[in-house]
Amino acid sequence: MESFSSSIINNYLDGMQGGTMDKASPSGMCFRDSKRKVDYVLAYHYRKRITLHPPGVGSPEPMHRSASLALVSNGGTEKGRAEPQQQDGDQSVPQDQPGPPGMEVIELSPLDALEEEKRLQREEYECNLLEAGLEIEKDPENKSQGLSFVRIHAPWQVLSREAELLKIKMPTKKMYEITEEGGILKTLNEIWCKLTEPLQPQVPQQANNNMKSLSYPFSREKIYLYNIKDKDTFFDNATRSRIVREILKRTTTKARNSMGIGTLIANNVYDAAYPLHDGEYEGQNDDMNERKLLYREWARYGVFYKFQPINLIRKYFGEKIGLYFAWLGLYTEFLIPSSVVGIVVFLYGCITIESDIPSKEMCDQRNAFTMCPLCDKFCDYWNLSSACATARASHLFDNPATVVFSIFMALWATTFLEQWKRLQMRLSYFWDLTGLEEEEEHPRPEYETKLLQKKMKNRNNTTENSDEDDTKKLTWSDRMPGYAANLGLILFMIMLTFSAVFGVIVYRITTAAALSFNTNETTRSNVRVTVTATAVIINLVVILILDEIYGAVAKWLTEIEVPKTEKTFEERLILKAFLLKFVNSYAPIFYVAFFKGRFVGRPGHYVYVFDGYRMEECAPGGCLMELCIQLSIIMLGKQLIQNNLFEIGIPKLKKLFRKLKDERTEPKEMDTNQSKDPQQWDLDYILEPFTGLTPEYMEMIIQFGFVTLFVASFPLAPLFALLNNIIEVRLDAKKFVTELRRPDTVRAKDIGIWYNILSGIGKLSVIINAFVIAVTSDFIPRLMYQYAYSQNGTMHGFINHTLSYFNVSHLKAGTQPENSPFAQDVLFCRFKDYREPPWSQNQYEFSKQYWAVLSARLAFVILFQNLVMFLSVLVDWMIPDIPKDISEQIKKEKSVLVDFFLKEEHEKLKLIESFITRDKQKHKSGTKGERIRAASFCQFNQSQKGSFASFSSQHTEV
């Protein structure tokens, strides 16, 4: 034990004697020597095995590990491999390893054997980390069971070596000027900067914004190129933790063929691995750190009006998270003009509602349009004027301005995506992501485990024809069960969504029928409102529940596919989750928009379900108003409940549950060495682990669909999305700064597959809005009536034109209204459709107007789609993907880099030449001195007979 600790662990100190071990570093960010920075933390739960010898054995009191020991490594000398360290408290060894003479071999219980295996894996893993050059510090295990931390520090040699291997770009000594665009653009930019100065976050900025450091992948051979003032601060905290994470990923252990820290966490050898936050985010102390700065200037609701400090976010959390918040900020900014235009469209509907002729005709009681009963037997004939309120409300969203707004939103989506590509390229330039190569990813632990199982199986079933290449990777045949399960379950989930929608349809039909039987006049008059409101709320609840289920199912389906890398896993998870959640969120809306009221039939020949229940039909004003209600409630409900309440509540509940679990599992024992104030690694362990950006992107992508796909029916959708996003930005910011452990920094040059999904939604929105305008709204029928059927070119007579006649004597027996006071007075009732009148030869068949309107609708869809697609392509072509100034700066940077290298190499060559010249001069002077001394020696030999005084004088001259 002593030899091992002296060779591997350089200071294995007694905490009761070494006073420095009892106190943690003041900042909680360093080792106990307050010098070496903690770059990464490993956390694990331990459980000691204390075994008492049976009475009469005569052995001393049970041996166990001293509670006052702390383990520290400063990474100094011998990092040779050693056998895994055995705890002093072990009184037994596994049965397959005989112990020293005189030691009793005790059979381990399954739980103790598992703990012993985990301990040995941890010790071997930590020894391998030491061999890799890292330095570690461990907490003393003072309790019978509890939580312990391993703190890791990367010295300069490791950081420089790994930075070179990872090709991390670091700033050089060279600074060059960024050329700004001149002319009117520069003037407008200066004016904009002055106007928005109060909105800028108060974070440290570069002294001269017109200068940029020339960056180059780190190289130890060219270390003279870099501006290294202090080796401890040259690599920032995010870069240091990234380097350590890479070492943790590739460091292996022999036990169970562990492939890195991911496998060890999956096997519960360690509980967590995470970098530390930069201290507390709030407090009375004046020590300012980046986390506290982010909290004050970004992660509070009180600074909602300020811009985001994107550069500081990127520095603290890494490029991948920085790009997400940059995208979210741009999306929120783009919602401002679309919200303004949406409000204008809505106000146009409010202003023109009094001059809308079809609404006036519907509300005019003098017209006396007697409508056919809405249900069999229990519903009476009714007057169309009773639906006046619905007709007036429909005009707010069903007016000519919505067509213009739909075209605007299609172009808005294209412009937004183009502008994001430009911003992404600008950020890539300033964040030194240009030319970023795809890093070789380590295989996921689950993939390695599956591959190991395959190798073991092939080893047991060795055949002569076995292919060695097949054992090095998982083939399609290995994944076939997973693919089959994916296909089957995804189809089942989609059918489940459709079943839920159908269930709500059945609820609407049966509830409407039941309320129609009610004797209360008020209840019967409000049947449609009651059914619509309750059905939408049920839809919302079902969507929220299925969303959570689908998220878990998508993750499980992706896991059984066994993707090789994390990137592949993430992309497949995103596609599955998006498909399921897209269908779940929009299926009820698609039903109302395109299917409700299309398969009702006509009076005397209605379509029935469940033997007696008529299919539901649209309101007299059309289905667009109901589509608007459905869309608004689902959108607002998802944003309020799922995006805000769930995001705030669930992390707090998880944090409370984890805290209670730790308090319940850990015995209440006194820890003499534990400091009173919790250290940063303790505080960070309590936080929720970071699980990726997929949930954040997903909720915004679904919202983007609500804003673009059905915007023709709800022009206020961008406004509600804007109000939500103003809160969402600060909510996500607060969650990242205060509720989550610090994520590992990940370099990424774009937002990945999310851009393709956004682009697909943008193109799909053109088609859907074309059909909403053509099929769901009355825009095309009104247009056709005004220019084809109206006698004076106005909308007068439009309502009468859209209503068909039905002879009430043709109603089926048993479906006529019972006890109707109007039964004897009504000969014909009206219903909304284009059908031939009962006095026609082809009674109740579709009329010529129906086919003309249908042709116009299809023509409008084709025209609208091609026009908007053409304009979108035009906008795409007019806006270059790379800003002109950035493309010029990239070219300039390459030339500056070449000149800088040539200059440095030239100076290096001159320096070498000066050393050579100086060395030659020294060599010549040395040769001359040797010749003089040789001549003197010859003279001395020739004058041996001379006096000693003469020799002395000659020697002195020399």
Side-chain angles (χ1 to χ4, degrees):
M1 174 68 189
E2 291 178 358
S3 62
F4 172 77
S5 61
S6 62
S7 62
I8 296 295
I9 311 299
N10 294 317
N11 15 2
Y12 189 34
L13 304 178
D14 191 330
M16 301 300 290
Q17 296 175 359
T20 59
M21 295 303 298
D22 292 332
K23 297 180 181 179
S25 61
S27 64
M29 300 293 296
C30 299
F31 279 12
R32 297 181 189 272
D33 58 9
S34 299
K35 295 179 181 178
R36 288 174 289 175
K37 186 181 296 184
V38 177
D39 296 317
Y40 223 86
V41 173
L42 305 179
Y44 65 91
H45 278 88
Y46 65 88
R47 177 180 174 274
K48 289 186 178 180
R49 176 174 49 82
I50 301 177
T51 307
L52 294 175
H53 283 268
V57 173
S59 61
E61 61 181 2
M63 299 167 57
H64 58 83
R65 192 168 186 168
S66 172
S68 59
L69 292 179
L71 235 147
V72 182
S73 166
N74 59 15
T77 57
E78 308 175 27
K79 301 217 168 29
R81 292 294 299 267
E83 293 301 321
Q85 163 186 349
Q86 298 288 336
Q87 288 188 359
D88 292 347
D90 292 341
Q91 295 185 27
S92 61
V93 294
Q95 288 183 340
D96 58 344
Q97 296 179 2
M103 177 173 283
E104 181 184 1
V105 177
I106 301 175
E107 185 178 356
L108 297 177
S109 67
L111 187 60
D112 288 337
L114 183 61
E115 284 297 322
E116 181 72 11
E117 184 182 0
K118 290 180 182 179
R119 183 181 65 81
L120 292 176
Q121 286 188 61
R122 283 195 295 267
E123 289 177 354
E124 182 186 358
Y125 186 71
E126 288 157 18
C127 290
N128 293 342
L129 292 180
L130 291 171
E131 286 187 3
L134 297 177
E135 302 174 8
I136 66 172
E137 178 183 71
K138 294 185 69 174
D139 277 342
E141 299 178 358
N142 295 327
K143 301 178 181 179
S144 59
Q145 61 179 359
L147 179 66
S148 187
F149 296 95
V150 178
R151 293 173 288 281
I152 301 174
H153 168 76
W156 169 257
Q157 293 83 355
V158 175
L159 293 173
S160 57
R161 179 191 73 208
E162 297 297 323
E164 184 173 356
L165 290 174
L166 296 174
K167 299 179 182 179
I168 298 176
K169 284 188 175 183
M170 300 302 294
T172 62
K173 299 175 184 177
K174 178 66 176 177
M175 301 279 291
Y176 68 96
E177 186 178 1
I178 300 174
T179 307
E180 294 183 349
E181 294 184 4
I184 190 171
L185 290 177
K186 183 178 180 181
T187 306
L188 292 174
N189 187 43
E190 290 176 353
I191 295 173
W192 174 253
C193 289
K194 289 181 180 179
L195 291 175
T196 58
E197 190 173 353
L199 306 179
Q200 299 294 337
Q202 302 299 316
V203 296
Q205 298 286 345
Q206 188 177 337
N208 190 354
N209 291 328
N210 293 331
M211 301 297 292
K212 183 180 182 295
S213 294
L214 185 65
S215 297
Y216 187 74
F218 188 82
S219 172
R220 287 175 289 179
E221 292 182 357
K222 298 181 175 61
I223 200 167
Y224 56 88
L225 298 176
Y226 305 97
N227 188 19
I228 305 177
K229 297 178 181 178
D230 185 358
K231 289 184 177 181
D232 291 335
T233 58
F234 179 66
F235 296 104
D236 58 16
N237 292 345
T239 307
R240 294 174 71 99
S241 65
R242 178 188 168 206
I243 289 173
V244 174
R245 179 73 181 187
E246 287 298 322
I247 298 175
L248 294 176
K249 279 175 162 180
R250 69 167 186 256
T251 303
T252 62
T253 60
K254 290 182 180 178
R256 288 192 181 182
N257 291 312
S258 169
M259 306 304 171
I261 189 62
T263 310
L264 294 175
I265 292 176
N267 293 334
N268 295 319
V269 177
Y270 289 100
D271 290 344
Y274 52 91
L276 292 180
H277 278 293
D278 286 357
E280 297 181 5
Y281 61 89
E282 58 183 355
Q284 301 299 326
N285 56 341
D286 295 331
D287 297 334
M288 180 58 68
N289 56 61
E290 290 181 351
R291 188 187 187 193
K292 184 179 290 187
L293 192 60
L294 283 171
Y295 179 73
R296 290 185 179 179
E297 296 296 326
W298 178 54
R300 293 187 301 113
Y301 296 112
V303 292
F304 72 92
Y305 59 91
K306 289 188 176 182
F307 293 117
Q308 298 185 91
I310 292 297
N311 290 322
L312 184 59
I313 296 169
R314 170 253 177 177
K315 181 182 177 184
Y316 191 81
F317 291 111
E319 285 77 8
K320 191 171 185 178
I321 295 176
L323 283 174
Y324 163 70
F325 281 104
W327 175 84
L328 181 58
L330 182 69
Y331 172 48
T332 305
E333 289 176 13
F334 259 72
L335 284 173
I336 296 175
S338 60
S339 300
V340 172
V341 178
I343 292 172
V344 170
V345 170
F346 179 74
L347 292 177
Y348 171 82
C350 295
I351 294 170
T352 58
I353 193 170
E354 297 298 333
S355 59
D356 182 51
I357 297 174
S359 300
K360 284 183 176 181
E361 288 184 349
M362 189 177 290
C363 295
D364 191 356
Q365 296 183 0
R366 293 173 297 178
N367 289 329
F369 294 112
T370 303
M371 307 297 292
C372 296
L374 296 174
C375 66
D376 296 341
K377 294 176 65 175
F378 298 97
C379 296
D380 200 357
Y381 303 103
W382 57 286
N383 199 317
L384 186 61
S385 60
S386 62
C388 174
T390 308
R392 291 171 65 86
S394 295
H395 179 74
L396 298 177
F397 305 101
D398 189 2
N399 56 68
T402 57
V403 181
V404 179
F405 186 55
S406 299
I407 298 174
F408 168 80
M409 287 303 296
L411 299 180
W412 172 88
T414 304
T415 308
F416 163 65
L417 293 176
E418 289 301 312
Q419 192 62 31
W420 166 244
K421 285 195 287 188
R422 292 170 60 84
L423 177 60
Q424 190 172 255
M425 197 64 212
R426 188 175 294 277
L427 293 176
S428 296
Y429 167 69
F430 284 104
W431 292 355
D432 297 320
L433 298 175
T434 52
L436 179 66
E437 299 178 0
E438 292 289 339
E439 298 178 2
E440 184 179 355
E441 290 191 72
H442 299 280
R444 298 176 63 250
E446 293 81 1
Y447 180 86
E448 295 288 358
T449 304
K450 187 79 173 177
L451 191 61
L452 180 63
Q453 292 174 356
K454 180 182 177 182
K455 289 180 180 178
M456 296 294 292
K457 184 178 178 181
N458 289 345
R459 193 177 300 169
N460 296 333
N461 303 323
T462 307
T463 59
E464 295 181 358
N465 297 328
S466 60
D467 192 352
E468 294 182 0
D469 292 337
D470 288 346
T471 60
K472 295 180 182 179
K473 62 181 181 179
L474 296 180
T475 59
W476 66 270
S477 58
D478 299 319
R479 292 194 171 99
M480 185 55 67
Y483 291 152
N486 269 262
L487 180 61
L489 272 176
I490 287 175
L491 291 177
F492 173 75
M493 291 296 169
I494 293 175
M495 293 305 297
L496 179 64
T497 301
F498 292 159
S499 301
V501 174
F502 182 71
V504 175
I505 294 171
V506 172
Y507 162 81
R508 296 162 69 113
I509 294 172
T510 54
T511 306
L515 292 177
S516 300
F517 300 158
N518 199 299
T519 56
N520 191 338
E521 183 63 29
T522 307
T523 304
R524 284 206 306 264
S525 61
N526 295 319
V527 168
R528 193 179 296 276
V529 177
T530 305
V531 170
T532 301
T534 55
V536 170
I537 293 172
I538 292 173
N539 266 327
L540 175 61
V541 173
V542 170
I543 287 172
L544 294 178
I545 294 172
L546 289 181
D547 257 359
E548 299 302 317
I549 295 174
Y550 288 167
V553 169
K555 186 176 181 182
W556 180 74
L557 288 175
T558 311
E559 286 174 350
I560 64 175
E561 274 190 48
V562 199
K564 184 175 181 179
T565 62
E566 286 294 338
K567 182 179 180 181
T568 310
F569 178 87
E570 186 180 18
E571 288 181 351
R572 294 184 182 181
L573 173 62
I574 289 169
L575 286 176
K576 291 182 186 63
F578 174 74
L579 174 63
L580 293 174
K581 293 190 175 185
F582 180 89
V583 173
N584 183 43
S585 298
Y586 298 118
I589 302 172
F590 268 93
Y591 165 72
V592 174
F594 303 121
F595 297 101
K596 185 178 179 181
R598 311 292 169 196
F599 311 102
V600 177
R602 59 171 177 79
H605 195 270
Y606 284 112
V607 178
Y608 291 90
V609 292
F610 301 117
D611 297 332
Y613 293 103
R614 273 166 48 178
M615 284 292 292
E616 57 178 348
E617 50 188 309
C618 294
C623 276
L624 195 70
M625 188 61 200
E626 189 171 342
L627 175 62
C628 174
I629 295 171
Q630 184 103 357
L631 182 65
S632 59
I633 292 180
I634 291 177
M635 178 182 176
L636 295 177
K638 277 180 66 69
Q639 290 184 165
L640 180 63
I641 298 173
Q642 193 175 47
N643 298 1
N644 294 326
L645 294 182
F646 282 10
E647 282 195 32
I648 296 172
I650 289 179
K652 290 186 180 297
L653 289 175
K654 287 183 178 179
K655 181 179 177 182
L656 178 63
F657 176 75
R658 191 164 51 249
K659 185 178 180 182
L660 293 174
K661 181 181 177 182
D662 290 340
E663 289 178 354
R664 187 174 66 253
T665 55
E666 291 188 15
K668 297 181 182 288
E669 302 176 21
M670 293 298 294
D671 190 350
T672 55
N673 286 354
Q674 188 175 6
S675 59
K676 295 181 180 179
D677 297 329
Q679 297 299 305
Q680 191 61 47
W681 47 85
D682 296 306
L683 298 173
D684 286 3
Y685 179 77
I686 300 172
L687 300 178
E688 185 73 13
F690 175 69
T691 56
L693 288 169
T694 301
E696 317 301 332
Y697 273 114
M698 187 65 71
E699 63 186 56
M700 289 295 104
I701 297 297
I702 296 295
Q703 183 203 81
F704 183 79
F706 282 121
V707 168
T708 55
L709 292 178
F710 295 94
V711 75
S713 63
F714 189 42
L716 295 180
L719 175 63
F720 289 113
L722 174 63
L723 297 176
N724 173 80
N725 285 11
I726 290 173
I727 301 172
E728 180 72 21
V729 171
R730 306 304 162 180
L731 180 63
D732 283 349
K734 189 173 183 181
K735 183 171 69 174
F736 273 85
V737 174
T738 67
E739 299 289 341
L740 297 179
R741 293 176 192 158
R742 187 170 184 174
D744 294 303
T745 57
V746 179
R747 291 176 71 82
K749 56 184 178 181
D750 52 39
I751 60 175
I753 197 173
W754 295 111
Y755 180 84
N756 299 329
I757 293 175
L758 284 167
S759 180
I761 291 177
K763 291 179 174 59
L764 183 62
S765 68
V766 177
I767 301 171
I768 291 178
N769 280 305
F771 276 99
V772 167
I773 296 169
V775 177
T776 313
S777 74
D778 281 339
F779 176 74
I780 299 300
R782 291 187 183 196
L783 211 62
M784 285 291 294
Y785 176 78
Q786 184 173 1
Y787 294 103
Y789 299 109
S790 176
Q791 296 178 356
N792 52 9
T794 64
M795 292 301 296
H796 290 286
F798 173 73
I799 297 298
N800 185 54
H801 177 75
T802 58
L803 296 177
S804 299
Y805 286 91
F806 181 77
N807 192 336
V808 296
S809 63
H810 294 165
L811 287 172
K812 288 183 179 180
T815 62
Q816 299 92 343
E818 292 183 349
N819 303 321
S820 173
F822 312 105
Q824 297 178 353
D825 300 331
V826 176
L827 297 177
F828 298 97
C829 66
R830 311 294 294 272
F831 64 100
K832 189 173 182 180
D833 206 347
Y834 291 102
R835 290 184 181 268
E836 295 290 346
W839 52 83
S840 172
Q841 292 181 353
N842 301 319
Q843 60 179 4
Y844 308 133
E845 295 293 331
F846 288 118
S847 63
K848 293 181 180 179
Q849 288 87 345
Y850 171 82
W851 298 109
V853 171
L854 180 61
S855 302
R857 282 173 166 165
L858 295 177
F860 174 82
V861 169
I862 296 171
L863 179 64
F864 182 89
Q865 178 183 340
N866 285 281
L867 174 63
V868 175
M869 288 293 186
F870 170 75
L871 293 176
S872 299
V873 171
L874 185 63
V875 170
D876 189 359
W877 174 76
M878 291 177 62
I879 303 176
D881 293 346
I882 304 176
K884 185 179 179 181
D885 59 327
I886 295 299
S887 61
E888 292 176 355
Q889 292 299 329
I890 292 173
K891 294 176 184 177
K892 180 180 178 181
E893 187 177 50
K894 291 180 180 178
S895 63
V896 170
L897 182 64
V898 172
D899 294 341
F900 177 61
F901 265 104
L902 291 175
K903 182 179 178 182
E904 289 294 329
E905 290 295 330
H906 183 65
E907 291 181 356
K908 183 181 177 182
L909 187 62
K910 285 176 63 178
L911 187 64
I912 293 173
E913 289 177 351
S914 65
F915 278 129
I916 293 173
T917 305
R918 197 177 304 168
D919 187 57
K920 285 182 178 179
Q921 290 176 354
K922 288 182 180 180
H923 182 68
K924 287 181 180 179
S925 61
T927 304
K928 183 178 180 181
E930 287 177 2
R931 289 176 179 175
I932 295 173
R933 283 194 294 273
S936 301
F937 184 70
C938 292
Q939 291 177 4
F940 171 71
N941 287 336
Q942 292 175 0
S943 59
Q944 288 181 358
K945 299 178 182 180
S947 64
F948 179 76
S950 64
F951 165 74
S952 302
S953 64
Q954 289 175 6
H955 185 74
T956 304
E957 289 175 2
V958 174

